[in-house]
């Protein structure tokens, strides 16, 4: 069961989980709240509901002093979209609960539909993927031509039904130029927000999308504008990644956070079962379990494979080599913390890695001690064995994908720090980057370029005795 559905909403100081009913002002029908879709604690909740016998989507605005302001923004945003002839969900009720403390806006339920993010994720190599990218760019161009800025522009705020894109979240719509078409720079900054999320590596496709945007806006595509857009994408990508990382270090829809004087625990909510909670209470049991498989037993790290509650996991324990090293690291980020953040950064930027499930730090107040990282187990073959083994075919295609990872890392100003071929796993015809303990994200291009060169040199040394394989990675030279 999706854990968000049973997450508590605090209403009038009481914790309430679905299903529950609300009485509405001016309505003789109860609002039956069935399933929690989205929650911003203390601010708003979005629920799949039933009203007058029909399924609807209800937005509850919970902030006591600002609930009315947020509800008005939602309604105003809907009117903006209507005026620009952009498809969106119809409002069927706006008002408040019977006691007036919660503002409620009810929308028609767009069904059957999918989030655009799900559509694009499932069809990345198809014509359908390109089709919906073009639809999205045309829609954003229409926003801007109508003088509208979507201040929370992300793929989950668009729904797809019968090949039509619906824009949702009216509260994020703002008039950017008094209703007149937006200026070029303001438009490109907003467009960069969505391009930064898409991580398009095909430069020809990116140029085609930019041309489509300029065509809809009746703007002349200029080289200067394209350079400005690329810089805006780079800047936005860093901002988005930073925000995403922060979200994964606190209690959120996706993450459970448990903090005390003696420990700090993060865990993906969809994996936070009773068994996982118990395991995280004492993760050392993994290293003594007769069912564990030892993967590495070094001075600084111990790595085992173990099944927890039916999940095939890798548990990595970071050990202090000696008391002096332990004292020095007590004041710094733990390796588990660094790996947790690095994995989320890569995933958010379209680079495949083992999905982080949980991390735990032993603490004494602000001082960090032993730490643990829990990741999904990837049953892949390392790149060294893959490329040397004559049994594997299509190696040139796989080499191109590996080169693509290096190009992406360079673009993101990321240094892996230990780019051995054994730290790349080939799994379901895709390369996965692992062992992220030493990963660094640079702000400076000079330092980043130098570090990237070191990563490339380390990787190429794997093939010093295999010239034919080395030639496959010649684009890195």
């Amino acid at each position: 069961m999706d854990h968000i559905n049973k997450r508590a909403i605090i209403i009038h100081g009481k914790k309430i989980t679905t299903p529950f009913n609300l009485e509405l002002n001016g309505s003789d029908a109860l609002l039956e709240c069935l399933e929690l879709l989205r929650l911003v604690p203390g601010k708003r909740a979005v629920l799949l509901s039933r009203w007058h016998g029909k399924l609807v989507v209800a937005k509850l605005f919970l902030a006591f002093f600002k609930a009315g302001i947020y509800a008005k923004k939602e309604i105003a945003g809907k009117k903006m979209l209507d005026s620009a002839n952009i498809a969106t969900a119809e409002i069927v009720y706006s008002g408040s609960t019977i006691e007036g403390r919660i503002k409620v806006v009810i929308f028609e339920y767009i069904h059957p539909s999918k989030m655009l993010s799900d559509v694009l994720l499932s069809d990345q190599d198809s014509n359908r993927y390109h089709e919906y990218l073009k639809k999205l760019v045309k829609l954003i161009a229409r926003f801007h031509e109508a003088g509208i800025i979507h201040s929370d522009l992300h793929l989950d705020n668009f729904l797809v039904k019968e090949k039509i894109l619906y824009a949702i979240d009216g509260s994020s719509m703002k008039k950017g130029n008094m209703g007149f078409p937006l200026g070029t720079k303001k438009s490109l900054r907003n467009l960069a927000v969505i391009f930064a999320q898409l991580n398009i590596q095909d430069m020809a496709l990116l140029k085609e999308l930019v041309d489509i945007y300029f065509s809809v806006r009746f703007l002349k595509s200029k080289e200067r504008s394209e350079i400005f857009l690329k810089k805006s994408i780079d800047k936005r990508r860093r901002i988005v990644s930073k925000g995403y990382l922060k979200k994964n270090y606190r209690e959120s829809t996706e993450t459970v956070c448990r903090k005390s004087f003696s420990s700090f625990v993060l865990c993906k909510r969809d994996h936070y079962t009773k068994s996982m909670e118990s395991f995280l209470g004492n993760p050392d049991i993994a290293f003594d379990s007769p069912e564990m498989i030892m993967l590495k037993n070094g001075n600084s790290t111990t790595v085992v494979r173990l099944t927890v509650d039916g999940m095939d996991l890798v548990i990595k324990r970071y050990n202090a080599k000696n008391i002096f090293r332990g004292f020095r690291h007590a004041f710094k980020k733990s390796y588990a913390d660094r790996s947790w953040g690095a994995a989320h950064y890569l995933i958010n930027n379209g680079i495949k890695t083992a999905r982080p499930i949980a991390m735990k730090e032993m603490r004494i107040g602000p001082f960090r001690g032993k730490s643990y990282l829990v990741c999904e187990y990837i049953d892949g073959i390392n790149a060294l064995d893959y490329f040397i083994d004559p049994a594997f075919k299509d190696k040139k295609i796989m080499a191109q994908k590996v080169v693509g990872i290096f190009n992406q890392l360079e673009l993101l100003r990321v240094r892996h720090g230990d780019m051995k071929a054994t730290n790349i796993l080939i799994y379901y015809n895709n390369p996965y980057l692992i062992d992220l303990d030493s990963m660094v994200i640079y702000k400076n291009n000079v330092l980043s370029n130098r570090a990237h060169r070191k990563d490339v040199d380390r990787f190429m040394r794997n093939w010093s005795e295999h010239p034919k394989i080395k030639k496959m990675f010649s684009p890195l030279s």
Side-chain angles (χ1 to χ4, degrees), residues 238-257:
R238 292 196 299 273
I239 292 171
V240 169
S241 294
K242 189 175 180 180
Y244 179 70
L245 286 179
K246 283 185 178 179
K247 186 178 178 181
N248 283 284
Y249 278 92
R250 58 175 171 80
E251 186 80 10
S252 67
T253 301
E254 188 178 338
T255 308
V256 172
C257 178

Side-chain angles (χ1 to χ4, degrees), residues 316-449:
K316 192 170 189 177
R317 181 176 65 195
Y318 297 89
N319 311 308
K321 290 182 179 179
N322 52 58
I323 191 169
F324 300 105
R325 189 179 177 89
F327 179 77
R328 183 156 55 92
H329 282 277
F331 302 91
K332 299 165 65 177
K333 270 190 175 185
S334 69
Y335 282 110
D337 183 328
R338 291 167 64 175
S339 295
W340 175 266
H344 283 96
Y345 187 84
L346 294 185
I347 291 169
N348 189 52
N349 285 287
I351 297 176
K352 289 179 169 56
T353 187
R355 182 176 179 239
I357 302 300
M359 64 151 278
K360 180 175 183 176
E361 292 176 340
M362 304 306 296
R363 291 186 175 185
I364 302 176
F367 304 110
R368 294 167 172 84
K370 192 162 50 174
S371 63
Y372 307 82
L373 180 71
V374 181
C375 293
E376 66 176 347
Y377 174 73
I378 297 176
D379 191 16
I381 180 172
N382 72 65
L384 185 66
D385 292 340
Y386 176 89
F387 283 101
I388 290 175
D389 192 334
F392 291 103
K393 309 300 179 185
D394 299 324
K395 290 179 181 176
K396 288 185 178 180
I397 295 174
M398 186 57 64
Q400 290 172 2
K401 291 183 179 181
V402 172
V403 169
I405 286 182
F406 276 91
N407 291 340
Q408 181 91 349
L409 292 174
E410 183 178 23
L411 183 69
L412 296 170
R413 298 177 185 163
V414 167
R415 182 201 77 180
H416 179 272
D418 190 18
M419 195 60 88
K420 297 179 290 190
T422 51
N423 281 334
I424 298 175
L425 296 181
I426 310 302
Y427 180 63
Y428 277 94
N429 293 318
N430 280 298
Y432 284 68
L433 196 57
I434 62 168
D435 201 1
L436 310 177
D437 305 351
S438 303
M439 194 178 111
V440 176
I441 304 166
Y442 291 94
K443 295 180 181 179
N444 183 292
N445 271 332
V446 175
L447 294 176
S448 171
N449 292 340

Side-chain angles (χ1 to χ4, degrees), residues 170-286:
S171 61
S172 298
M173 307 300 164
K174 295 180 179 179
K175 285 288 183 186
N177 194 25
M178 301 297 289
F180 295 101
L182 298 182
T184 303
K185 282 193 173 181
K186 190 174 284 188
S187 300
L188 294 178
R189 285 194 192 98
N190 197 228
L191 183 62
V193 171
I194 205 74
F195 278 175
Q197 296 170 49
L198 291 170
N199 291 306
I200 299 169
Q201 298 301 302
D202 184 342
M203 291 299 108
L205 174 59
L206 183 60
K207 189 176 188 315
E208 183 183 0
L209 294 174
V210 172
D211 289 342
I212 288 170
Y213 177 85
F214 274 86
S215 175
V216 174
R217 294 288 314 277
F218 301 103
L219 299 173
K220 291 183 179 179
S221 180
K222 298 178 181 178
E223 185 178 348
R224 187 179 297 176
S225 295
E226 291 184 5
I227 292 171
F228 180 80
L229 177 61
K230 287 177 182 177
K231 287 182 178 178
S232 298
I233 292 170
D234 186 38
K235 182 178 180 180
R236 186 64 199 178
R237 186 181 283 119
R238 292 196 299 273
I239 292 171
V240 169
S241 294
K242 189 175 180 180
Y244 179 70
L245 286 179
K246 283 185 178 179
K247 186 178 178 181
N248 283 284
Y249 278 92
R250 58 175 171 80
E251 186 80 10
S252 67
T253 301
E254 188 178 338
T255 308
V256 172
C257 178
R258 298 288 182 264
K259 189 175 182 179
S260 69
F261 182 82
S262 60
S263 70
F264 178 65
V265 174
L266 296 167
C267 184
K268 292 299 177 185
R269 191 170 295 279
D270 56 354
H271 287 281
Y272 197 63
T273 60
K274 286 186 177 180
S275 297
M276 178 60 76
E277 183 181 9
S278 175
F279 167 74
L280 290 172
N282 181 22
D284 278 326
I285 60 174

Side-chain angles (χ1 to χ4, degrees), residues 99-156:
E99 75 291 334
R101 293 174 66 182
I102 297 173
K103 301 301 179 184
V104 181
V105 179
I106 302 177
F107 296 86
E108 68 169 335
Y109 179 39
I110 301 173
H111 183 77
S113 66
K114 286 185 177 181
M115 287 186 195
L116 181 58
S117 56
D118 293 335
V119 173
L120 293 178
L121 186 65
S122 60
D123 291 306
Q124 284 190 330
D125 298 318
S126 72
N127 291 330
R128 191 163 174 254
Y129 174 75
H130 291 181
E131 175 191 350
Y132 280 104
L133 282 182
K134 292 172 186 176
K135 283 178 183 285
L136 177 61
V137 168
K138 288 177 181 178
L139 184 57
I140 294 171
R142 288 172 58 199
F143 277 132
H144 295 166
E145 195 62 21
I148 299 172
I149 290 180
H150 196 314
S151 63
D152 191 20
L153 197 57
H154 61 79
L155 298 176
D156 288 349

